[in-house]
Structure formats: structure tokens, C-alpha cells
Amino acid sequence: MKILKASWLICVDENSTIIKDGAILFDEKIKDFGKIESLKAKYKDLEVEDLGDNTVLMPGLINSHIHLEFSSNSTSLSYGNFMSWLNSVIVNREALIEKSNTALINTKLDEMLKGGTTTIGAISSYGFEIEACKKTPINTVLFSEVIGSKADMIDTLFSDFKARLESVKKNSSKNFIPAIAIHSPYSVHPFLVREALRLAKEENLSVSAHFLESIEEFDWLHKDEGKFLEFFKNFLGQEKSATKPMEFLRQFSNIKNLSFTHCVEASDDDLGKIKELGAVINHCPTSNRVLNNKRLKIEDLDDIDYSIGTDGLSSNNSLQMFDELRNALMIHTNLNINELSVDLIKAATLNGAKALGLNKGRIKQGYDADVIVCKLPDEVINKEELCTQIILHTKEVQDVYINGEKHV
Ligand code: MCF
Ligand code: FE
């Protein structure tokens, strides 16, 4: 067992505790933490590794919503209008998926690791990222996605989904965990939603769904009108949406680890239901911006926890959590920057762990020892500004430990 000492220790707890000259003791779990003097006095025989000047120890970052299968996209997809983006996904999907091979995804995962990401929630449409995710030290909750609203395709779609889920289950391990994604209320037939959720409950799997991301989705689900009407008429011969938002949400009762992605068009009632379900909102600020969707009003969430996701390179120029946190900092202009930064660090650690159902994201006895060390360019005087400075100045981290093992 080892003691690590840094200039600062961010615990991520109810009181946002930050300890100056803090240290942790860990093997694969966190065993103890506190001021370096008190740890030294308690564990006289143990070696202390001083991480150096201007260093910060904190829980590893958790990217709770990412699509690795779109990793080859840079400039192919259209941004600035949600329908144009959707149409460009349909046109380019096959080519992008084919180019997003294991070698490319390995490279992306390696960059993410160096950037301080220790856990991801990966939405998997095809299962083409499984090989890369099995190999990476980054903990992966792999959400097999069910999608499709055409009634006569249901059986085929459900069998395909179950086969993909099985292949994830076959490979499951401590850091490769099967889960289920329902794509969205507009794109998944109610039968598929019901059956996929039945499976999730039976097998106690975490669940995630995209929910009310765009005004087009809102108009279609609530009023059967808007740009989606044209889209559904053309592609599927459908003129009425199959589900209302509240009906969709009601189906998710009794799912233990649940998250909804985006939610920028959710009403107060929807948010009330999300809170009652105990769900976390995956907040993807860059994706919302580039697809011309609204800003998530995190100030109005009324005790619903939100986590941070980059989404895929299908709607982002980076998969790095510190890039995403910087964007979040710049988008929520109405909030105090130092308070927001503290909140964002909690979103990117503890709340991500809650979304994925993991015992991570916090420096506390018994939690998994997934920790990162950031090195700031100079001294920070005010504790209150520490989180802001970390978000502003970190591109790559100095060290990464996952389940107590050093990987960077
Ligand atoms: O979160 C973004 C935007 N909203 C919906 N879907 C996706 C996003 N990024 C990738 N997707 C995927 C989704 O998983 O796009 C595919 C689905 O498999 C086609 S439907 C837009
Ligand atoms: Fe997404």
C-alpha cells in the first residue's frame, strides 16, 4: 500500500471538501485520506510519494455518455441545424462506422486516458467498439443500444439487440460492464422499450436513453408536427408519434441506475418525473451547441444530479473531458464561475458514477481507487478558485491510477 501526497486533494463530497497538502492511502480501494501530517502519523512505516509542487489529487473523470463508433468523424457531418445533422448521419453513417475501426478507437481511448478519463459510458449501436473497450484500462459501461420504430421490424431488431447484449455479457469483467440504451422516445417502438426494460430489470443492468434533445423532437412527440413529421413520413410512412414524453418516462420505474441524455426540452413535469425516478441527466454541452439545441438549464434542475458526457465525435470535436468541462464553463454564463467549477467537477466524477451505477467518483474509504493527478502551471492561493484553475489549465494529467494501478 502506498501514500500519495499532493498540494491539494479534492474529495468530492457533500461539503465540497478540498484539503491543502492532502494525501491518500490506497490499494485497489481508497483506504484512508486526509492531511499529510495525520496520515504520516497514523501509518509510520509506509512510504510517501510526494507528487510535487502545484499538484492536485482528485477522482478520475467519468465521461458518462460517448459514442465511440462515430470516432472517425471530423468534418463529414452537418452542424448548426438538428435536422441537417440527422440527415447527414443517415447519409454518412456506414462510411464513418467502417472507418472507426479498433485501431482508431484504441488511439482515442489512449488519448482519453492521458487526459484523465478513467471511466466511460459508451453507447454501442453495433458492438464494433467492444474489442477496443475490452483492452483499454479505462472502465467501460457498454450500453447496447436498441433502436427502431417500424412495427414489422421489431422481432429482427430485438433479436439483433439481444445478440449484441449477449456478446458484451460474455466478455464482462470488473472493468467491462454490460448495460442497456434505449435510443430515444421518437426512434424506439414502445414494444422494444418495454422488452428492453424488462431485460434490464431482470438482469439489474444500468439503463440510459436520449431524451428531448431538440425542438423538432418536442414538436413531434407533443403535437405530431414540425420537421420530424416530414422526416417520419418520408422514411417510415409514419404521421403520428408512438409515445408521449411522460408515457415514455413512466416505463423506466424501478431501474436502479438510470440516466437520460440532453433533456434540454424537458418540461417541469418531465423533470419532476426524472427526479422521482432517481435518474441522472447526462449533460453534453458541446453536442447541444453544435447541433443547434438549447443549453441545459442546470440552475433549474432542482436536485436532479447531472453528469458530463462528450457525446461522440459525431457531435463534438473532442472526446476529452477537460475540453468538455471548459466548454461547460463558457456556456453557463449566468453562473458564478468558481461555484460552477466545483459543481462541474462533481458532475464529471461522482455524478457520472451514479449514472453508471459504480462505486467510484469520490475520495472516501471503500471507493475504487480511480484517481488522477493534475499539475497546475503555478501556485493557487484561493481554495475557492482551485476547480476553475484546474478546468482552465489541464489538457493532459500527470498520473492516472485505475483500481489502484498506475496507467499513466
Ligand atoms: O447524442 C447524439 C445526438 N442524438 C442522438 N443520437 C446520437 C448522438 N450521437 C450519436 N447518436 C447515434 C445514436 O446512438 O446516432 C444514431 C444512433 O445510433 C442514429 S440516430 C441519430
Ligand atoms: Fe448521444
Side-chain angles (χ1 to χ4, degrees):
M1 270 204 293
K2 197 171 181 183
I3 294 176
L4 289 183
K5 185 259 163 194
S7 316
W8 300 97
L9 173 65
I10 304 182
C11 300
V12 189
D13 56 16
E14 298 77 14
N15 308 317
S16 311
T17 305
I18 295 176
I19 301 173
K20 189 163 166 46
D21 296 318
I24 60 171
L25 171 68
F26 63 98
D27 47 22
E28 73 269 29
K29 304 267 180 208
I30 310 276
K31 297 286 173 194
D32 208 346
F33 70 100
K35 278 257 179 210
I36 182 64
E37 294 80 35
S38 87
L39 254 69
K40 265 190 190 161
K42 250 171 137 176
Y43 308 99
K44 291 199 176 66
D45 300 336
L46 287 181
E47 173 205 349
V48 176
E49 182 182 338
D50 191 332
L51 296 162
D53 292 341
N54 311 319
T55 49
V56 183
L57 255 173
M58 59 180 277
L61 300 174
I62 298 181
N63 186 346
S64 62
H65 183 89
I66 182 170
H67 304 253
L68 290 165
E69 289 164 317
F70 288 89
S71 290
S72 69
N73 179 58
S74 53
T75 56
S76 305
L77 300 179
S78 293
Y79 293 161
N81 175 292
F82 187 71
M83 292 317 288
S84 308
W85 175 79
L86 197 55
N87 284 311
S88 74
V89 170
I90 290 168
V91 171
N92 293 286
R93 180 162 44 187
E94 250 171 64
L96 289 174
I97 299 282
E98 208 178 296
K99 275 198 277 172
S100 305
N101 55 26
T102 302
L104 178 73
I105 296 174
N106 279 338
T107 311
K108 299 294 177 194
L109 287 165
D110 197 46
E111 286 168 11
M112 288 160 68
L113 184 67
K114 292 187 178 117
T117 298
T118 52
T119 299
I120 56 172
I123 311 297
S124 173
S125 309
Y126 304 90
F128 295 158
E129 71 289 73
I130 293 179
E131 280 312 307
C133 291
K134 260 167 51 185
K135 260 191 25 213
T136 175
I138 296 179
N139 305 291
T140 306
V141 176
L142 207 289
F143 288 91
S144 296
E145 179 183 69
V146 62
I147 185 167
S149 57
K150 240 178 150 30
D152 56 1
M153 287 293 288
I154 282 174
D155 290 338
T156 318
L157 293 168
F158 195 54
S159 311
D160 174 70
F161 157 74
K162 278 195 294 191
R164 282 184 283 118
L165 180 62
E166 275 311 310
S167 77
V168 180
K169 276 165 58 186
K170 255 199 344 245
N171 287 295
S172 75
S173 68
K174 189 171 156 215
N175 74 338
F176 185 74
I177 299 159
I180 290 179
I182 314 277
H183 178 256
S184 77
Y186 63 84
S187 60
V188 188
H189 193 282
F191 172 87
L192 289 174
V193 176
R194 194 186 73 202
E195 290 308 307
L197 290 176
R198 190 203 303 278
L199 259 179
K201 276 177 229 173
E202 277 169 14
E203 304 188 19
N204 198 20
L205 302 174
S206 301
V207 174
S208 190
H210 293 97
F211 185 69
L212 283 173
E213 167 180 24
S214 65
I215 192 71
E216 290 83 355
E217 179 179 348
F218 181 97
D219 287 344
W220 169 246
L221 294 180
H222 281 287
K223 302 179 274 185
D224 301 308
E225 57 186 44
K227 298 269 165 51
F228 261 18
L229 174 58
E230 216 177 300
F231 180 88
F232 274 91
K233 256 207 260 180
N234 288 346
F235 282 103
L236 300 154
Q238 203 182 320
E239 292 190 32
K240 291 233 170 311
S241 123
T243 334
K244 293 268 174 271
M246 190 53 81
E247 282 168 30
F248 181 74
L249 290 178
R250 278 200 197 104
Q251 293 187 264
F252 290 77
S253 56
N254 301 316
I255 301 285
K256 208 164 99 209
N257 305 116
L258 178 62
S259 64
F260 292 103
T261 306
H262 306 312
C263 302
V264 301
E265 298 287 350
S267 66
D268 289 347
D269 280 355
D270 296 334
L271 292 175
K273 186 69 190 172
I274 289 172
K275 185 173 166 183
E276 189 190 310
L277 291 168
V280 174
I281 293 180
N282 291 313
H283 177 33
C284 306
T286 310
S287 174
N288 296 154
R289 178 70 183 97
V290 301
L291 302 190
N292 193 37
N293 295 322
K294 294 205 180 100
R295 178 184 75 91
L296 178 70
K297 291 188 178 144
I298 52 175
E299 63 278 16
D300 292 346
L301 289 185
D302 184 25
D303 288 340
I304 300 171
D305 288 324
Y306 71 92
S307 58
I308 302 290
T310 56
D311 226 340
L313 288 177
S314 31
S315 53
N316 205 323
N317 61 339
S318 168
L319 298 175
Q320 295 291 19
M321 282 293 278
F322 276 114
D323 286 338
E324 198 62 33
L325 289 169
R326 274 188 286 281
N327 288 349
L329 213 55
M330 302 307 161
I331 276 172
H332 299 288
T333 51
N334 52 334
L335 300 173
N336 172 283
I337 196 158
N338 294 321
E339 288 167 15
L340 173 60
S341 294
V342 171
D343 213 36
L344 287 173
I345 294 285
K346 176 168 174 263
T349 53
L350 188 59
N351 295 354
K354 183 179 169 193
L356 303 177
L358 303 172
N359 186 38
K360 297 180 182 294
R362 184 172 181 168
I363 305 293
K364 192 185 178 186
Q365 282 87 343
Y367 278 71
D368 295 345
D370 293 359
V371 293
I372 57 173
V373 180
C374 303
K375 174 106 174 156
L376 290 164
D378 206 346
E379 199 179 342
V380 170
I381 310 287
N382 290 330
K383 203 192 249 191
E384 291 70 32
E385 291 167 22
L386 181 69
C387 291
T388 309
Q389 300 297 0
I390 294 168
I391 294 176
L392 289 176
H393 291 286
T394 312
K395 291 200 170 61
E396 290 198 342
V397 299
Q398 177 179 298
D399 307 286
V400 177
Y401 290 83
I402 298 177
N403 293 310
E405 247 184 72
K406 194 163 194 262
H407 290 283
V408 172

